Amino acid sequence: MNYFSKKKYTLLLLATAGLMASSCQKNESLKTDAPAVEAASSLQTAAVSLTQGFEVGSTSPKTAYDVSPTGSSSGDNVTLSGNSWNMYDALIGNLSGDKKAGSWSARIRNTGKITMLYNLSTGISSVTIKHATYTGDGNSTWGLFYSTNSGSSWTQAGSNVTTSSTLTTQTFTFTVSGTVRLEIRKLSGGSDRINIDDITVNDNAGGGTGGGTVIAGKKFLFDASHLENAGSADWQIDADGTEAVPIYTGGTTTELKAQRIPTPSYTGITASTPETYWKGAMSAWAVELVKKGELVETLPVGTALTYGNSSNPQDLSNYDVYVVIEPNRLFTAAEKTAIMNFVSAGGGLIMVADHTAATTAGTDANGYNPSDRDGDGYDSPRVWNDLMTNNGINNNNPFGFTVNYVDISEGPSTNVYTGTNADAVKVLGGAAGTASKLAFYNGSTATLTPGTNSTVQGLFWRNSATNGGNSNVMALLATYGSGRVFFIGDSSPSDDGTGDTGDNLFNGWSGDSPSGFTSHPALHLNASYWVAKAQ
């Protein structure tokens, strides 16, 4: 395998000799007594707490109104986050005049309405809805209605609401038990239009976190702007274009280039959709998120990474989680400021690193070149340490750890946290199942620095390390300000084995034999929901 390849897979044999396999790839001829795949609990998208943001991908499923001269007399049914809604004299728009929290919002005119065609099963304690007049139109009134008999009759919740030119959140507090569905009706204003966005329902079941449920509608932004496709890497959820990318040996190679909205549209994903629906080595991760009602986008190369810039449609303020898998370029000073402020204000950050050496000029302990795939002198461990020591806001390991300049393989580690930290319990045993094993194929570890952030908590350690210690940590979590951080030291566990046909990819996501069938999907999905504050 050439030395700018994506992953130098080396297996630690589980034989008593403990010898390192010499192959750079998974040696499928190695025999182990692999146990059966561990049973993972079925994830339930929480009817107890719903968020609908009308984010529909690159194409709206509803582009026309439903009264003369076009449209159906009874409206059209659309699928949003896996659920069916009816839109009458309403559509989903992304024009410059639409007021919206993200890329899309609903737009209603005349006496149109938006109706849920399914029931929430555990009642309602409150509902919040963002609303505004369409740019240039006059004010209108609208109302929220609910039905406890599957739409046979409706009751208004609260009073009529009057729109204004600014996107505003309206809160309705009322108590309904059992099955219930919602309808939003425009009540006055004639042809003046209103925008509706980010409908959030809080349950009446005395809970809503943990216990096998997650909140749907969270927005995940996967970074592709820091050469995550360099060399033989393909750390993207979907990529349909191509670009010339620098490689370690000099010159460039043609690599797949990601676009903002994955294609085909994620509105077509169902429970049985395979991860090959999108072309990227991280597509399995993203497709599973969408199956559970979450929203995913990519930050393409050349797109600004900002926080608090209302003119940037991909500003971090429009997302719940920023996912960066093995970045190969340093974040700029402005980007580091954006990331730190985003997390401090409540955002989620998922940080994935890879193997390296003491210097990027030579080879590591296994004879491999560091994972500096583009040859600029920085690999992902150095990119992450630069963020945590040179961000201009808090340069003293604000997340409570540093990434070690090492290259380790562990196949797999069962040295997993067993304490009572509530956050760790959710990530290791949350709605997506139990994460009890973690395999690395040439990755890096972290050293915890609880003196700089007391919330840092190790999740997995090397088998030879002290459980609960600060050294040789393979995965961890922390909080910072109001936000949450998850770190894992290898991209192998999230590699689904498919993507750019020119790259050398391996399935560490779900096909991780002969390592004993690790629980990588459970770990990554539970961590995703935790950083998104969805469980």
Side-chain angles (χ1 to χ4, degrees), residues 192-242:
D192 287 325
R193 296 155 291 181
I194 66 172
N195 287 119
I196 297 292
D197 207 355
D198 285 358
I199 306 169
T200 301
V201 180
N202 294 311
D203 71 47
N204 186 33
T209 58
T213 61
V214 294
I215 300 172
K218 297 293 185 177
K219 300 176 183 178
F220 290 77
L221 180 64
F222 284 76
D223 189 84
S225 66
H226 292 82
L227 295 185
E228 286 88 351
N229 60 347
S232 191
D234 190 48
W235 309 138
Q236 305 171 119
I237 61 175
D238 181 58
D240 295 330
T242 59

Coordinates of all heavy atoms in Angstrom, one line a residue, residues 192-242:
D192 N -51.5 37.6 1.4 CA -50.2 37.8 2.1 C -49.8 36.5 2.6 O -50.5 35.7 3.2 CB -50.4 38.8 3.2 CG -50.6 40.3 2.7 OD1 -49.9 40.6 1.7 OD2 -51.4 41.0 3.4
R193 N -48.5 36.3 2.5 CA -47.9 35.0 2.8 C -47.2 35.0 4.2 O -46.7 36.0 4.6 CB -47.0 34.5 1.7 CG -47.6 34.3 0.4 CD -46.6 34.5 -0.8 NE -46.2 35.9 -0.9 CZ -45.4 36.3 -1.8 NH1 -44.9 35.5 -2.7 NH2 -45.1 37.6 -1.9
I194 N -47.2 33.8 4.8 CA -46.4 33.7 6.1 C -45.5 32.5 5.9 O -45.7 31.6 5.2 CB -47.3 33.5 7.3 CG1 -48.1 32.2 7.2 CG2 -48.3 34.7 7.5 CD1 -48.9 31.8 8.5
N195 N -44.4 32.5 6.7 CA -43.4 31.4 6.7 C -43.6 30.8 8.1 O -43.7 31.4 9.1 CB -42.0 31.9 6.5 CG -41.7 32.3 5.1 OD1 -41.4 33.4 4.8 ND2 -41.8 31.3 4.2
I196 N -43.5 29.5 8.1 CA -43.5 28.6 9.3 C -42.3 27.8 9.3 O -41.9 27.2 8.3 CB -44.8 27.7 9.4 CG1 -46.0 28.6 9.5 CG2 -44.7 26.8 10.6 CD1 -46.2 29.4 10.8
D197 N -41.6 27.7 10.5 CA -40.3 26.9 10.5 C -40.2 26.3 11.9 O -40.8 26.8 12.9 CB -39.1 27.7 10.1 CG -38.0 26.9 9.6 OD1 -38.1 25.6 9.5 OD2 -37.0 27.5 9.1
D198 N -39.4 25.3 12.0 CA -38.9 24.7 13.3 C -40.0 24.5 14.3 O -40.1 25.1 15.4 CB -37.8 25.6 14.0 CG -36.5 25.4 13.3 OD1 -36.4 24.7 12.3 OD2 -35.5 26.1 13.6
I199 N -40.9 23.6 13.9 CA -42.0 23.2 14.8 C -41.4 22.2 15.8 O -40.9 21.1 15.4 CB -43.2 22.5 14.1 CG1 -43.7 23.4 12.9 CG2 -44.3 22.1 15.0 CD1 -44.6 22.7 12.0
T200 N -41.5 22.5 17.1 CA -40.9 21.6 18.1 C -42.0 21.2 19.1 O -42.7 22.1 19.7 CB -39.8 22.3 18.9 OG1 -38.8 22.6 18.0 CG2 -39.2 21.4 20.0
V201 N -42.2 19.9 19.3 CA -43.2 19.4 20.2 C -42.6 18.7 21.4 O -41.7 17.9 21.3 CB -44.1 18.4 19.5 CG1 -45.2 17.8 20.5 CG2 -44.8 19.0 18.3
N202 N -42.9 19.2 22.6 CA -42.4 18.5 23.9 C -43.5 17.6 24.4 O -44.7 18.0 24.5 CB -42.0 19.6 24.9 CG -40.8 20.4 24.4 OD1 -39.8 19.8 24.0 ND2 -40.9 21.7 24.5
D203 N -43.1 16.4 24.9 CA -44.1 15.4 25.2 C -44.8 15.7 26.6 O -44.4 16.6 27.3 CB -43.5 14.0 25.2 CG -42.5 13.8 26.3 OD1 -42.8 14.2 27.5 OD2 -41.4 13.3 26.1
N204 N -45.8 14.8 26.9 CA -46.4 14.9 28.1 C -46.3 13.5 28.8 O -47.3 13.0 29.4 CB -47.9 15.2 28.0 CG -48.6 15.4 29.3 OD1 -48.0 15.8 30.3 ND2 -49.9 15.0 29.3
A205 N -45.1 12.9 28.7 CA -44.9 11.6 29.2 C -43.9 11.6 30.4 O -43.4 10.5 30.8 CB -44.3 10.7 28.1
G206 N -43.6 12.8 30.9 CA -42.7 12.8 32.0 C -41.3 12.5 31.7 O -40.5 12.0 32.5
G207 N -40.8 12.8 30.5 CA -39.4 12.5 30.2 C -39.1 13.0 28.8 O -39.6 14.0 28.3
G208 N -38.4 12.2 28.0 CA -38.1 12.5 26.7 C -36.6 12.4 26.4 O -36.2 12.6 25.3
T209 N -35.8 11.9 27.3 CA -34.4 11.6 27.0 C -34.0 10.2 27.5 O -34.6 9.8 28.5 CB -33.5 12.6 27.7 OG1 -33.7 12.6 29.1 CG2 -33.7 14.1 27.3
G210 N -33.1 9.6 26.8 CA -32.7 8.3 27.2 C -33.8 7.2 27.0 O -34.8 7.5 26.4
G211 N -33.5 6.0 27.5 CA -34.5 5.0 27.5 C -35.0 4.6 26.1 O -36.1 4.1 25.9
G212 N -34.1 4.7 25.1 CA -34.4 4.2 23.8 C -35.1 5.2 22.9 O -35.6 4.9 21.8
T213 N -35.1 6.5 23.2 CA -35.7 7.5 22.4 C -34.8 8.6 22.1 O -33.9 8.9 22.9 CB -37.0 8.1 23.1 OG1 -36.6 8.7 24.3 CG2 -38.0 7.0 23.3
V214 N -34.9 9.2 20.9 CA -34.1 10.4 20.6 C -35.0 11.4 19.9 O -36.1 11.1 19.4 CB -33.0 10.0 19.6 CG1 -32.0 9.1 20.2 CG2 -33.5 9.4 18.3
I215 N -34.6 12.7 20.0 CA -35.3 13.7 19.4 C -34.9 13.8 17.9 O -33.7 13.8 17.6 CB -35.0 15.1 20.1 CG1 -35.4 15.0 21.6 CG2 -35.7 16.2 19.4 CD1 -35.0 16.2 22.3
A216 N -35.9 13.9 17.0 CA -35.6 14.0 15.6 C -35.4 15.4 15.2 O -35.7 16.3 16.0 CB -36.8 13.3 14.8
G217 N -35.0 15.6 14.0 CA -34.9 16.9 13.4 C -33.6 17.7 13.7 O -33.5 18.9 13.4
K218 N -32.6 17.0 14.4 CA -31.3 17.7 14.6 C -30.5 17.8 13.3 O -30.6 16.9 12.5 CB -30.5 16.9 15.7 CG -31.2 16.8 17.0 CD -31.3 18.2 17.7 CE -31.9 18.1 19.1 NZ -31.9 19.4 19.8
K219 N -29.7 18.9 13.2 CA -29.0 19.2 12.0 C -27.5 18.9 12.2 O -26.9 19.5 13.0 CB -29.3 20.6 11.6 CG -30.8 20.9 11.3 CD -31.0 22.3 11.0 CE -32.5 22.6 10.9 NZ -32.8 24.1 10.6
F220 N -27.0 18.0 11.3 CA -25.6 17.7 11.4 C -24.9 18.2 10.2 O -25.3 18.0 9.0 CB -25.4 16.1 11.4 CG -25.9 15.5 12.7 CD1 -27.2 15.3 13.0 CD2 -24.9 15.1 13.7 CE1 -27.6 14.8 14.2 CE2 -25.3 14.5 14.9 CZ -26.7 14.4 15.1
L221 N -23.7 18.9 10.4 CA -22.9 19.4 9.3 C -21.6 18.7 9.2 O -20.8 18.8 10.2 CB -22.7 20.9 9.5 CG -21.8 21.6 8.4 CD1 -22.5 21.6 7.0 CD2 -21.5 23.0 8.8
F222 N -21.4 17.9 8.2 CA -20.2 17.1 8.0 C -19.2 17.9 7.2 O -19.5 18.4 6.1 CB -20.4 15.8 7.3 CG -21.1 14.7 8.2 CD1 -22.4 14.8 8.5 CD2 -20.3 13.7 8.7 CE1 -23.0 13.8 9.3 CE2 -20.9 12.7 9.5 CZ -22.3 12.8 9.8
D223 N -18.0 18.1 7.7 CA -17.0 19.0 7.1 C -16.4 18.2 5.9 O -16.0 17.1 6.0 CB -15.9 19.4 8.0 CG -15.0 20.5 7.4 OD1 -15.4 21.6 7.5 OD2 -13.9 20.1 6.9
A224 N -16.2 18.9 4.8 CA -15.5 18.4 3.6 C -14.6 19.5 3.1 O -14.1 19.5 1.9 CB -16.4 17.9 2.5
S225 N -14.3 20.5 3.9 CA -13.6 21.7 3.4 C -12.1 21.7 3.9 O -11.4 22.7 3.6 CB -14.3 23.0 3.9 OG -14.2 23.1 5.4
H226 N -11.7 20.6 4.6 CA -10.3 20.6 5.1 C -9.6 19.3 4.6 O -8.9 18.7 5.3 CB -10.3 20.7 6.6 CG -10.7 22.0 7.1 ND1 -12.0 22.4 7.2 CD2 -10.0 23.1 7.4 CE1 -12.1 23.6 7.7 NE2 -10.9 24.1 7.8
L227 N -9.8 19.1 3.3 CA -9.1 18.0 2.5 C -9.3 16.6 3.2 O -8.4 15.8 3.3 CB -7.6 18.3 2.4 CG -7.3 19.5 1.5 CD1 -5.8 19.6 1.3 CD2 -8.0 19.4 0.1
E228 N -10.6 16.4 3.6 CA -10.9 15.0 4.1 C -10.9 14.0 3.0 O -11.1 12.8 3.3 CB -12.3 15.1 4.8 CG -12.3 15.8 6.2 CD -12.5 17.3 6.1 OE1 -12.5 17.8 5.0 OE2 -12.7 17.9 7.2
N229 N -10.7 14.4 1.8 CA -10.6 13.4 0.7 C -9.2 13.3 0.1 O -9.0 12.7 -0.9 CB -11.6 13.9 -0.5 CG -11.2 15.3 -1.0 OD1 -10.4 16.0 -0.4 ND2 -11.8 15.6 -2.2
A230 N -8.2 13.8 0.8 CA -6.8 13.8 0.3 C -6.3 12.4 0.3 O -6.7 11.5 1.1 CB -5.9 14.7 1.1
G231 N -5.4 12.1 -0.7 CA -4.8 10.8 -0.8 C -5.8 9.8 -1.0 O -6.7 9.9 -1.9
S232 N -5.8 8.7 -0.2 CA -6.8 7.6 -0.4 C -7.9 7.7 0.7 O -8.5 6.7 1.0 CB -6.1 6.3 -0.4 OG -7.0 5.3 -0.8
A233 N -8.0 8.9 1.3 CA -9.1 9.1 2.2 C -10.4 9.4 1.5 O -10.4 10.0 0.4 CB -8.7 10.2 3.2
D234 N -11.5 9.2 2.2 CA -12.8 9.5 1.6 C -13.8 9.8 2.7 O -14.9 9.2 2.8 CB -13.3 8.4 0.7 CG -14.5 8.8 -0.1 OD1 -14.5 9.9 -0.7 OD2 -15.5 8.1 -0.2
W235 N -13.4 10.7 3.6 CA -14.2 10.9 4.8 C -15.3 11.9 4.5 O -15.4 13.0 5.1 CB -13.3 11.4 5.9 CG -12.1 10.5 6.2 CD1 -10.8 11.0 6.4 CD2 -12.1 9.1 6.2 NE1 -10.0 9.9 6.6 CE2 -10.7 8.8 6.4 CE3 -13.0 8.1 6.0 CZ2 -10.3 7.4 6.5 CZ3 -12.6 6.8 6.1 CH2 -11.3 6.5 6.3
Q236 N -16.2 11.5 3.6 CA -17.3 12.3 3.2 C -18.6 11.5 3.2 O -18.6 10.2 3.1 CB -17.1 12.8 1.7 CG -15.8 13.6 1.6 CD -15.4 13.9 0.1 OE1 -15.3 15.0 -0.2 NE2 -15.3 12.9 -0.7
I237 N -19.8 12.1 3.3 CA -21.0 11.4 3.4 C -21.6 11.1 2.0 O -22.3 10.2 1.7 CB -22.1 12.0 4.3 CG1 -22.4 13.4 3.7 CG2 -21.6 12.1 5.7 CD1 -23.5 14.1 4.5
D238 N -21.2 12.0 1.0 CA -21.6 11.9 -0.4 C -20.8 12.8 -1.2 O -20.5 13.9 -0.8 CB -23.1 12.2 -0.5 CG -23.6 12.0 -2.0 OD1 -23.4 10.8 -2.5 OD2 -24.1 12.9 -2.6
A239 N -20.4 12.4 -2.4 CA -19.6 13.2 -3.3 C -19.9 12.9 -4.7 O -19.8 11.7 -5.1 CB -18.1 13.1 -3.0
D240 N -20.3 13.8 -5.5 CA -20.7 13.6 -6.9 C -19.8 14.2 -7.9 O -19.8 13.9 -9.1 CB -22.2 14.0 -7.1 CG -23.1 13.2 -6.3 OD1 -22.8 12.0 -6.0 OD2 -24.2 13.7 -5.9
G241 N -19.0 15.2 -7.5 CA -18.1 15.9 -8.4 C -16.7 15.4 -8.2 O -16.4 14.5 -7.5
T242 N -15.7 16.1 -8.8 CA -14.3 15.8 -8.7 C -13.5 17.0 -8.6 O -13.9 18.1 -9.0 CB -13.8 15.0 -9.9 OG1 -14.0 15.7 -11.1 CG2 -14.5 13.6 -10.1

